[in-house]
Amino acid sequence: MELLCVLAALLALFLLCAALTRKARVPAALAPLTALSAIASVLTLAGMAGVLYPVTWVLYIACAAAGVWAFWPQKGQTPDGKALFTPGSVLFWGMALAFAVYFFVRQPIASGYDELSLWATAVKVTKVDNSLYSTATLGTPWAVTQNPGLPLLSYFFQFLGSYADWKTYLAYDVLYFACFAAVLGALPWGKWRVAVPLAAVLWCTPFFFTIYNHTIYLADTYLTTYGDVPAGLVFGGAVAAWLALRQTDGPRWVVLPVLALAANLKANDFVLSLAAAGLIAVDAWLFCDGPFRQGLARRTGFAAACFAAPMAVYYLWNVRYVGWLVARNASEGGVGETSASLGQVVVNGVKILLGQPVEGFFAERQPQFLQAMADMGHQFWTSDGKLSMIGQGRNVVGLILLVFALAAVVAAGRQLKARIAVLAGLSTLCFVGYNLMLALSYGFIFKDFQAASLQDYNRYIYSYYIGWFLMALACLAVALLPQMRRQIQLVKEKDGPTAVFRSNLYTPRWGLAGQGAVLLLAAAMLFRQGQIVLPQLSVLGFADSEFADRRNIRAEADLVCSYLTEEDRVFFVSQGDNGERWFSAVFDFYPVLVDYSGIVSEMIGGGGELGLPELKPDEEGPKNFYYHGFTADELDAIVRGNGCTVLYLQTIDDIFVQSYAELFTDGLAAVQNGETLLYRVTDAGFAPMEMEVSSP
């Protein structure tokens, strides 16, 4: 049944894509990315307005109506479906259908730390509540302000049927495949010798720039809900879509929803969307088919629209909506605003780079900012910074610029060569700007320990590498196609000059060598991926044991929830937890609420070791680092004050028994004897609940 629900979502997407292709002249390979971007925009606006559920129904109905319109036979015309099937579109639909069936059979489960703390939880909350996760009531002490583009795309695939983790992975991968199709967007069937190896290159790309050591664990690039890979793919996919549109003379508006999506994936990737907008705007404005002044106003308007799309998303979500969320959170006793504003960070960071004095917070953080820049440079230039399958950043940049250079060499006509050269140069400049943004984040937004270790630097930087590589591949794909160039020639006649249009067809130089280079690149990337990622550790061969622990934890959560109601609020106890098991419980129990299990205003809780202050262990480790010292009366007051109705004792130890046995009516005998995991909060104390506890 759940597979049928997902296939229905894919059918709705196909009908919308068919309408875009047959009625709006959107190339079939670009239609999926356009449709997904438009869906994300509609659902974002609906979620912000609080009407997500009814609007999604309307969206599904609209997709069906669009499909009827697209396929309704026209009088005197014979339906022709050839336009719907190009190398890019076939790649997209083939991979989407294959992964839908494959994930349904294999049933992968969300297990990563950030998946459980945000990304997967956001999707589940959105599905269960049929509203934005940012307004949900959770046991967490902060407002969730991450951009909703990816969770809402997942919601589209989750909408019919029940929530399932594998549907989320499928939604993300469908977006991946749409970006791949955009790179192939201009290639006709006659260029299958380019399309096939290029498809192999695209398949390897997310692995290639994210896996940088021989791994003995599952390489979960295609099994993750993190936003870094999608952000990079959409960043590059937007520019690739534009290049294909120019080649096929498609409608220019297609790139606008894609640019909006690029700004709606992660808060720190707004810079990427602006970079994509700038590259497209320059290419559209600077290079035209006729005299420069011809159509200048129209080109200028389009360039402005490219910037307006991501800026509108930033303003509506990051300024207006998040501003409201933070203010509401602060008024309800939350943490409110926790970092300096983006404008202040940029202004003061630039002042430091120019040698100008800064004051207050920025003066205190100036050494941290400068050290972060030095550390990032060290990662880029030295062998310590192995961020990809080919090593440090300098190697990655060298490969990308080499692909750009190859595209420029084989390109037909001076204008295309110049366009590729400008894209290569400006994208390199944008890379410098993106690194500056990361340095500013480590200096003035992230915490001290995050900056000291450049925490998650690899995830942030490979977003740009992935998108940049896609741009280079798209340039190469276009360069291997013939170019039609129209020129105006003035012919002198006795009654005055007459304008004559001339069309010249330019064929790629060394086109066969270019095709060979693509084949060689595909072979090299497949070979390197085979060295780093074993087949049984990839998305196509993972063992069921990869998710065995999570399945056991979820089974226990399902058992516990069967004894609870949605009105219950659970106080979570798992001694020695570093926070991961608490996040897991928040995810698995929802819509039953798992409390922060501590003091929200002081940010004490969210898992850890509970015990009397004097019993804190001396040895280093999670129990020491995450120790929450409460007296018995304090713990009792916290449980009751937070409105908890049930205690879930997932794991207890001697410290917990010695500290709090007196609060439990049976002195914790039932849980120690394996008779229960739940205690009900009563006036007389915490009383054991009868339940069947499965044997370990």
Side-chain angles (χ1 to χ4, degrees), residues 355-654:
Q356 300 296 315
V358 293
E359 299 177 350
F361 167 79
F362 294 97
E364 296 175 5
R365 286 291 194 98
Q366 180 172 344
Q368 181 172 313
F369 168 57
L370 296 175
Q371 185 61 48
M373 290 187 64
D375 292 343
M376 288 169 58
H378 182 76
Q379 290 285 314
F380 181 83
W381 291 108
T382 72
S383 59
D384 291 341
K386 293 181 179 178
L387 301 176
S388 74
M389 287 188 177
I390 55 173
Q392 59 268 50
R394 67 180 187 186
N395 297 349
V396 176
V397 173
L399 172 64
I400 294 171
L401 293 180
L402 181 62
V403 176
F404 271 117
L406 176 63
V409 168
V410 303
R414 292 181 179 179
Q415 187 186 73
L416 183 57
K417 290 179 180 292
R419 288 175 57 203
I420 293 172
V422 169
L423 281 174
L426 290 181
S427 60
T428 303
L429 185 62
C430 290
F431 175 66
V432 175
Y434 184 70
N435 276 275
L436 175 59
M437 184 275 294
L438 291 182
L440 291 171
S441 299
Y442 280 114
F444 304 116
I445 296 178
F446 296 161
K447 298 183 183 299
D448 295 350
F449 70 90
Q450 293 174 305
S453 61
L454 287 186
Q455 184 171 321
D456 290 330
Y457 169 71
N458 61 314
R459 284 173 49 193
Y460 301 143
I461 197 64
Y462 67 50
S463 292
Y464 197 95
Y465 288 148
I466 289 172
W468 200 8
F469 187 62
L470 254 61
M471 293 179 203
L473 293 177
C475 286
L476 182 56
V478 171
L480 291 172
L481 295 172
Q483 305 297 310
M484 180 68 73
R485 174 74 171 163
R486 298 191 67 190
Q487 296 175 323
I488 298 177
Q489 182 179 12
L490 296 179
V491 179
K492 188 68 175 179
E493 298 180 355
K494 62 180 179 180
D495 294 330
T498 301
V500 177
F501 287 92
R502 295 179 54 194
S503 295
N504 296 319
L505 184 65
Y506 297 92
T507 56
R509 298 181 63 189
W510 303 302
L512 185 60
Q515 294 179 22
V518 176
L519 181 61
L520 181 62
L521 179 62
M525 292 180 69
L526 287 168
F527 175 75
R528 184 58 175 161
Q529 181 175 315
Q531 287 183 311
I532 299 294
V533 181
L534 298 176
Q536 63 269 30
L537 298 177
S538 76
V539 66
L540 300 179
F542 65 90
D544 290 336
S545 59
E546 289 288 347
F547 301 101
D549 291 341
R550 277 292 294 138
R551 286 195 173 92
N552 292 336
I553 293 172
R554 183 166 294 183
E556 181 173 290
D558 291 340
L559 172 66
V560 169
C561 287
S562 67
Y563 293 91
L564 304 175
T565 67
E566 290 191 16
E567 287 69 38
D568 279 318
R569 188 179 184 94
V570 178
F571 191 92
F572 177 79
V573 177
S574 186
Q575 296 294 89
D577 179 32
N578 64 356
E580 187 169 350
R581 280 179 277 175
W582 175 76
F583 279 123
S584 173
V586 171
F587 175 84
D588 291 332
F589 276 55
Y590 199 82
V592 177
L593 294 183
V594 174
D595 189 69
Y596 189 54
S597 307
I599 304 173
V600 172
S601 61
E602 299 180 21
M603 297 292 287
I604 300 175
E609 179 80 3
L610 296 168
L612 297 175
E614 60 269 22
L615 296 181
K616 180 178 181 179
D618 295 328
E619 63 274 11
E620 295 295 327
K623 289 190 175 185
N624 176 284
F625 190 80
Y626 298 101
Y627 196 84
H628 305 319
F630 300 126
T631 66
D633 290 340
E634 287 172 338
L635 182 64
D636 184 71
I638 290 170
V639 172
R640 298 177 187 275
N642 289 0
C644 297
T645 59
V646 173
L647 286 87
Y648 168 42
L649 306 185
Q650 185 186 70
T651 304
I652 63 172
D653 58 10
D654 293 340

Side-chain angles (χ1 to χ4, degrees), residues 161-178:
S162 303
Y163 171 82
D165 293 355
W166 66 270
K167 294 181 184 179
T168 303
Y169 294 134
L170 175 64
Y172 277 50
D173 288 350
V174 165
L175 180 61
Y176 288 15
F177 305 151

Side-chain angles (χ1 to χ4, degrees), residues 40-66:
S41 295
V42 170
L43 295 183
T44 297
L45 293 174
M48 293 170 64
V51 290
L52 181 61
Y53 185 73
V55 167
T56 308
W57 271 119
V58 172
L59 187 58
Y60 266 85
I61 294 171
C63 289

Side-chain angles (χ1 to χ4, degrees), residues 6 10 13 36 92 99-100 103 123 149-158 164-178 222 224 230:
V6 166
L10 286 173
L13 181 63
L36 290 171
F92 172 79
F99 268 64
F103 281 159
V123 178
L150 289 170
L152 288 177
L153 274 181
S154 299
Y155 179 75
F156 180 79
F157 287 89
Q158 298 274 2
D165 293 355
W166 66 270
K167 294 181 184 179
T168 303
Y169 294 134
L170 175 64
Y172 277 50
D173 288 350
V174 165
L175 180 61
Y176 288 15
F177 305 151
Y222 286 88
T224 179

Side-chain angles (χ1 to χ4, degrees), residues 260-307:
L261 178 62
N264 199 22
L265 301 179
K266 290 186 64 183
N268 63 346
D269 288 327
F270 175 59
V271 173
L272 293 180
S273 65
L274 290 181
L279 294 171
I280 294 171
V282 169
D283 187 68
W285 189 84
L286 190 60
F287 299 98
C288 55
D289 293 330
F292 181 75
R293 291 186 179 181
Q294 183 181 353
L296 180 60
R298 181 172 60 88
R299 298 201 311 275
T300 302
F302 174 73
C306 288
F307 285 103

